[in-house]
């Protein structure tokens, strides 16, 4: 430990000396602040930073992760009560809101190979000496997928790779179907719920998802306990709800799961599966995969197990039996408020979930304890006389793991009020050693760039922004970098512009705020040097975290600073710190991507049709194996992007004018006229919402944001301008043009609001 | 078998019906022939084809592969005697030429893990019931690398990936050196001799090369005997002579290894290693690799073994002991001639080696038996009155496996005569089911395109050219196709031009002819549907071949047709069938590539220097691990390509004029004036040689061809315009410009000869 510290600090000195720290520059041109307000804000942030103590993070983490704390468990409730009491002690106005959500826990799990040989899967993660909580078995949830259907099926296996739609195209070309079979897929590439969903769509009667060592096991590094990666019996629990359709309680889409809420019948809930699905370790998967024959899997389908990967069907035949206890379960959201002194009805929200699958040291408690430390120091500052201008609302969510339940139900319950009052939602989840990752609304990109420029990286002593840039610059310089990575590298080296933030798909609690309600949101986390295989495993424990996650908790502190500075910047700004040009440029880039997507789909279709006409596929194929040509693609029309192109042009114009006027109104150290500022704030509070439409996205009206959504078949990964993009990908041309119109309308509403806000700014 | 045949023939009917067979078109515009000569040639080829019998291939293969037949073994001599007798029986004028070459066989091989645990490597491939010759143990060579040094070393292991130069850069960045260590590399990516050579250059005292299942084992398909791939104890024998420096007998570079030849002392032979090197199976490698620690290997270094790949050094420590019996061994080349009736001093050469590592059913006997069947039918045609216009020389080479010994020594012995008389060298080696692969001198590209258009693919019924095009068209259409594959796909779909042939590096017996003497050469083989892991293993056997190689021997027949049509086209042409435009266009493309290489090296150096200046590498690196920034690249100058660009322009002009005149002289069905044709032939015979220079390539004067050579650090893979290209890659700018001049001189000599030949053609 000593050697590490000295290496780190010498490196930090060398690097920090070479590159000026941005802290002192933080005051200059602080977005949303006059010069004197900015100076005060810098001082406030420094006071905040100085009070943080990593020892608290460590102590709370140990305590909160000491027992299983999944939704509905005694320790999750105890943690909620603990968090509530802490908030109160720290001077927050806090309470618990309870929602009754559908949850299922397994009562029976059987997986056995019945032919050609016999094998009974272990289906459990054993206690080991090196991991103390792994022996705390009471209340421990075994590996399972929540929202799997009950089922008792026996059938041959088909290996479906990651189980995403394009994998089924490969199977079809090989004459293989999952109809009446059990699909076995590997984790990775997409939200896990996609895998059984698509298997079900293709007629499978059951689904198994296993953790291949290629993705998070020995292929990546030493397995636990020697190293951080997933061991032979390690399994990944997780939800298989169809999140891209809606998040939250399956029985109450769009409304809060309060006591009196009207609930669907379980069999009518559109986001629940009809087939049983079970996650297993590679130790349990290996005998099944070994017993398969049929065609050898395509090269990019092969994992790192010491076998030849075959597609089947069979001869491996398995018996899968799952039974669950379905019940309404209370989800306890802790809601704590510091009321704003000047604009109490403008709310800056900050949330992190609290519930885990088992002990959850990394996911989510590493983020939760940062939230607590932020709350302690902020509360302490109010006791010393500071009051935020706008209200700050801190939220400890329950039920995130089954499907963002606690956050979604709360957001749906308070939808109207949030739409009027919420100016920002800041999210975090798990956190660890490494690089800052941030994604969200692009109107926030500039203020976030400024904030990140003012946070010092613990290991290197430069700003976390600089380290983030360096990381992308190096990744994109590698010989095998893909075009997207090269683009990010170019941006990383371009010091003239803000470094891009990611667009948000899904996977954590920002979704109901950003993509359902249209509240501007940002998601933060550090990581990249803490790569591991403990995700959703019993081994995501305190012992694992202090070895491999963030041993000194210095990145937990960095997270607390990053989040709190963001909260404070919004809470205390003279005018809400949004910059429209970043959003306009980003959307212009997405529009360009759509043009290229249309063109490349057309080119691909033409090429494929040419190859079909020449019978090239048949001629190139080995006639002793089945490899049918791909189906003839339909012609890809030229789409009418003009309405979108025009809306983007208007947006860029309005954004530029707005940004100029915005900058002008805060310089010369004259605070803006309070009444005007208030009106501008009100307009800006609703800016992001102009991007939503109640009709929502095709087939999923709950997703109202026209710019960002999780992909219908990616689940985690974002699709930008999703209504258009996915329609092009799925070749629904009329839908594509309908959404070109809708996105244009949204962008015009955004531009109009910018124009309105600008009209309230003085001419200078 | 029946099902297969019916599927294949229905497919063939469907496809053949859809696409006209090119056989009837073969007569039209047959390069080098008047219309009536062409018609006679087509008839001759059809007679030839009709006489071929796959049963002979099968029978000879079984016989010749029935015992170990490596250089110096009794059965290799027996096979030579058999081949000699067959040629004589078939009417050829045949004899054996013997060369005394340096060879080494192992007398002792020990590999054991001595720390941290004990393990003694098996080092042998076991007999198995499913493979009959695997139990023929007498005279069997165990797994070893010929031209390894003797040695007895004990040291820690370092894992070096493929062991090519760029792998050592990765090790350096991680602070790892092989100095005083034993390097363990995996097979693949390069000629195997590169691995111990580079290890030695970096101070390793020993080298182990193992077969990772990723490359040719279970990752690719079922292991033998269930499937064709390399099994747990399967090993790859092979030479580790430094072939890119010169091929042939190590003690007699540049001169034939005749009885009286002056020989180097073994310790002075520049292509021999100073360290011991041993090839092993993955079954023997696994305990060694498992016992390694240190940094986790970079992702693209990891194979398919069920371990975490660590770089070391150690703690695995191994003891490697090798002792060899070094002796001069006779190599028996069978040389058979059909004397030409009109131009006996113009020789069309055709060779295939005969010696294997063990039984060699695929490598090389699958090609050797095709050679025999060609010889049988050609001999039969002479008995029925046909005589080739030019002499045909068939060669059954010995000693190819240790390093192209039999072919090189023969070529060096007869160098002067070959330079005057050889018009073409046609090579083949192993052969199997699938697609035509052909590479060689680009002046041959057009005639080869015509020939391939006239050979019917056994499985699909279209021409093998069409199937070759289809294969590249489909590969290049895949989503993850690289730029080179996309380029080939584009060419495949462009029916206006000949489909490109590959440029030749090394790996078979064409090297002394093409790259040392400058004789226009082509290398043929079918394959791609016969992928396997039996290469240089005891399991390269008749039993393996008839299951997985070419079960019906129909591709052996296809090879015989392809080769013989080429031999006949050259033997009987009115004028030697070369077309210069293909060569000129190809060289123009290489020139363009060099420009781009210079530019991309400059761009890469600038980017790397920018990242270094920003300290991006340090900032992006995990400070708890060693990952040094790359060394600062020197600035990459703009090179003066003008002499080369000008020479290329002149070449394209001369080539176009030549091709026009050439085509004109053969149309209108008037045979060219014999005296003029003879002079043109003489000029064309020496055309390829204008591309050689006695100074040769940097550091390897034996390689005289300025356009094609095996890469100094690839060994198999070609480097085109190698003197310039490799100088740029190694940043030897003065050498690059020197070779720009030399290549320009060579191209000008080529152009001058074309101009001379054109001046002899009548104006029409």
């Amino acid at each position: 430990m000593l050697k590490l510290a000295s290496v780190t600090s010498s490196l930090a000195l060398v690097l920090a000396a070479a590159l000026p720290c941005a802290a002192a520059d933080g005051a200059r041109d602080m977005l949303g602040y006059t010069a004197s307000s900015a100076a005060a804000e810098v001082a406030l942030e420094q006071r905040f930073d100085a009070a943080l103590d990593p020892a608290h993070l460590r102590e709370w983490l140990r305590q909160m992760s000491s027992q299983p704390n999944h939704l509905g468990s005694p320790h999750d409730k105890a943690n909620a009560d603990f968090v509530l009491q802490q908030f109160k002690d720290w001077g927050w106005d806090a309470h618990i809101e309870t929602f009754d959500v559908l949850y299922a826990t397994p009562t029976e799990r059987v997986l056995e190979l019945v032919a050609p040989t016999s094998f009974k899967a272990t289906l459990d993660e054993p206690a080991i000496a090196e991991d103390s909580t792994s022996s705390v078995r009471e209340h421990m949830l075994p590996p399972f997928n929540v929202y799997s259907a009950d089922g008792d099926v026996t059938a041959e296996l088909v290996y479906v790779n990651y189980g995403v739609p394009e994998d089924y195209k490969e199977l079809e070309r090989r004459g293989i179907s999952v109809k009446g079979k059990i699909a076995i897929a590997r984790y990775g590439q997409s939200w896990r719920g996609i895998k059984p969903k698509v298997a079900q769509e293709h007629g499978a009667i059951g689904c198994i998802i296993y953790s291949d060592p290629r993705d998070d096991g020995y292929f990546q590094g030493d397995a636990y306990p020697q190293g951080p990666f997933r061991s032979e019996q390690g399994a990944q629990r997780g939800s298989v709800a169809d999140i891209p359709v809606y998040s939250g309680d399956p029985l109450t889409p769009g409304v809060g799961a309060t006591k009196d809420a009207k609930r669907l019948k379980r069999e009518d809930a559109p986001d629940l599966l009809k087939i049983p699905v079970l996650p297993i370790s590679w130790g349990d998967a290996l005998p099944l995969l070994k017993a398969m024959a049929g065609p050898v899997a395509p090269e990019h389908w092969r994992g790192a197990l010491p076998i030849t990967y075959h597609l089947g069907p069979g001869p491996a035949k398995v018996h899968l039996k799952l039974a669950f206890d379905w019940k309404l379960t209370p989800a306890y959201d802790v809601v704590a408020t510091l009321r704003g002194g000047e604009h109490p009805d403008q709310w800056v929200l900050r949330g992190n979930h609290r519930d885990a699958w088992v002990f959850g040291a990394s996911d989510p408690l590493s983020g939760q304890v940062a939230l607590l430390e932020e709350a302690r120091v902020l509360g302490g500052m109010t006791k010393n006389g500071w009051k935020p201008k706008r209200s700050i609302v801190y939220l400890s969510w329950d039920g995130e793991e089954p499907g963002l339940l606690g956050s979604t139900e709360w957001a749906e319950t308070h939808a109207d009020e949030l739409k009027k009052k919420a100016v920002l939602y800041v999210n975090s989840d798990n956190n660890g050693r490494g690089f800052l990752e941030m994604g969200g609304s692009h109107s926030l990109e500039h203020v976030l760039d400024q904030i990140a420029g003012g946070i010092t990286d613990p290991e290197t002593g430069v700003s976390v922004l600089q380290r983030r840039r360096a990381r992308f610059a190096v990744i994109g310089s590698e010989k095998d970098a893909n075009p997207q990575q090269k683009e990010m590298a170019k941006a990383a080296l371009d010091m003239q512009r803000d470094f891009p933030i990611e667009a948000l798909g899904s996977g954590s609690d920002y979704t109901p705020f950003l993509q359902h309600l249209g509240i501007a949101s940002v998601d933060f986390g550090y990581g990249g040097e803490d790569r591991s295989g403990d995700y959703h495993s019993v081994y995501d424990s305190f012992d694992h975290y202090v070895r491999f996650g963030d041993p000194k908790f210095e990145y937990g502190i960095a997270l607390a600073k990053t989040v709190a500075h963001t909260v404070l910047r919004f809470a205390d700004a003279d005018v809400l710190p949004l910059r429209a040009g970043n959003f306009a440029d980003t959307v212009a880039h997405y529009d360009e991507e759509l043009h290229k997507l249309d063109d490349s789909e057309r080119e691909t279709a033409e090429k494929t049709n040419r190859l079909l006409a020449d019978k090239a596929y048949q001629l190139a194929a080995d006639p002793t194996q089945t490899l049918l040509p791909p189906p003839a693609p339909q012609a890809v029309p030229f789409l009418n992007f003009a309405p979108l192109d025009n809306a983007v042009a208007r947006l860029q114009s309005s954004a530029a004018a707005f940004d100029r006027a915005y900058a002008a109104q805060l310089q010369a150290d004259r605070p803006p006229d309070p009444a005007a500022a208030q009106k501008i704030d009100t307009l800006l509070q609703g800016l992001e919402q102009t991007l939503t439409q109640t009709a929502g996205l095709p087939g999923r009206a709950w997703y109202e944001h026209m710019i960002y959504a999780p992909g219908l078949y990616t689940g985690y990964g974002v699709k930008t301008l999703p209504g258009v993009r996915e329609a092009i990908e799925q070749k629904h041309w009329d839908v594509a043009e309908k959404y070109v119109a809708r996105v244009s309308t949204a962008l015009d509403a955004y531009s109009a609001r910018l124009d309105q806000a600008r009209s309230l700014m003085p001419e200078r």
Side-chain angles (χ1 to χ4, degrees), chain A residues 259-279:
Chain A
K259 282 236 170 305
D260 313 319
K262 199 160 147 231
R263 288 175 164 75
L264 295 172
K265 288 202 197 106
R266 179 155 53 102
E267 53 267 32
D268 295 334
D271 68 340
L272 296 182
L273 286 169
K274 305 276 182 262
I275 63 172
V277 53
L278 183 69

Side-chain angles (χ1 to χ4, degrees), chain A residues 648-672:
Chain A
V648 166
R650 285 189 292 271
L651 172 63
Q652 285 183 301
S653 173
S654 293
F658 170 86
D659 288 343
R660 269 193 311 270
Y662 182 104
Q665 76 164 345
L666 288 166
Q667 68 195 13
D669 207 21
R670 273 196 305 277

Side-chain angles (χ1 to χ4, degrees), chain A residues 455-470:
Chain A
I455 311 282
T456 302
D457 176 71
E459 284 175 342
T460 60
V462 300
S463 74
V464 298
L465 175 66
Q466 191 142 11
R467 204 172 178 216
R468 179 171 155 81
R469 280 183 182 264

Side-chain angles (χ1 to χ4, degrees), chain A residues 547-593:
Chain A
R547 287 178 64 195
F548 303 117
D550 181 21
K552 300 199 259 183
F553 290 89
E554 50 189 8
Y555 282 90
I557 294 300
L559 179 67
K561 290 179 185 175
T562 310
V563 169
H565 288 199
T566 304
V567 167
L568 290 171
R569 284 290 168 103
F570 269 76
D572 279 357
D574 295 317
V575 185
L576 288 171
L578 304 180
R579 200 162 81 171
N582 298 64
F583 175 70
D585 290 345
T586 303
V587 173
H589 179 65
Y590 295 157
D591 182 23
E592 208 183 300
E593 285 182 345

Side-chain angles (χ1 to χ4, degrees), chain A residues 76-91:
Chain A
D76 184 33
K77 177 61 164 65
N79 283 342
D81 291 339
F82 169 72
V83 166
L84 176 68
Q85 192 53 50
Q86 293 289 99
F87 272 116
K88 287 178 170 173
D89 292 348
W90 296 331

Side-chain angles (χ1 to χ4, degrees), chain A residues 114 118 132 136 181 207 280 302 385 400 405 460 480 561 571 577 663 671:
Chain A
V114 298
S118 295
S132 50
V136 178
K181 309 289 186 195
C207 184
I280 66 176
R302 304 170 198 162
E400 187 272 354
L405 304 193
T460 60
D480 56 355
K561 290 179 185 175

Side-chain angles (χ1 to χ4, degrees), chain A residues 142-227:
Chain A
F144 81 110
N145 288 130
V146 71
Y147 304 132
S148 159
D150 295 56
D152 189 350
V153 292
T154 300
E156 284 183 320
L157 287 178
V158 174
Y159 176 59
V160 299
N161 191 31
Y162 291 115
V164 295
E166 65 194 47
D167 293 330
Y168 286 83
K169 292 181 184 164
E170 292 279 346
L171 288 172
E172 270 150 35
R173 290 192 63 190
R174 289 159 178 77
I176 294 173
S177 166
V178 298
K179 208 162 145 68
K181 309 289 186 195
I182 293 173
I184 178 165
R186 53 173 171 156
Y187 264 116
Q189 187 95 320
S190 74
W191 164 247
R192 75 182 73 73
I194 305 298
K195 303 162 193 291
K197 167 167 95 169
V198 178
Q200 178 178 287
E201 282 171 4
H202 282 84
I205 63 173
C207 184
I208 297 165
I209 316 175
Y210 82 99
S211 296
D212 196 285
R214 178 76 175 78
D215 300 307
D216 61 5
Y218 56 70
F219 181 87
Q220 297 293 342
D222 293 316
Y224 195 62
Q226 192 185 340

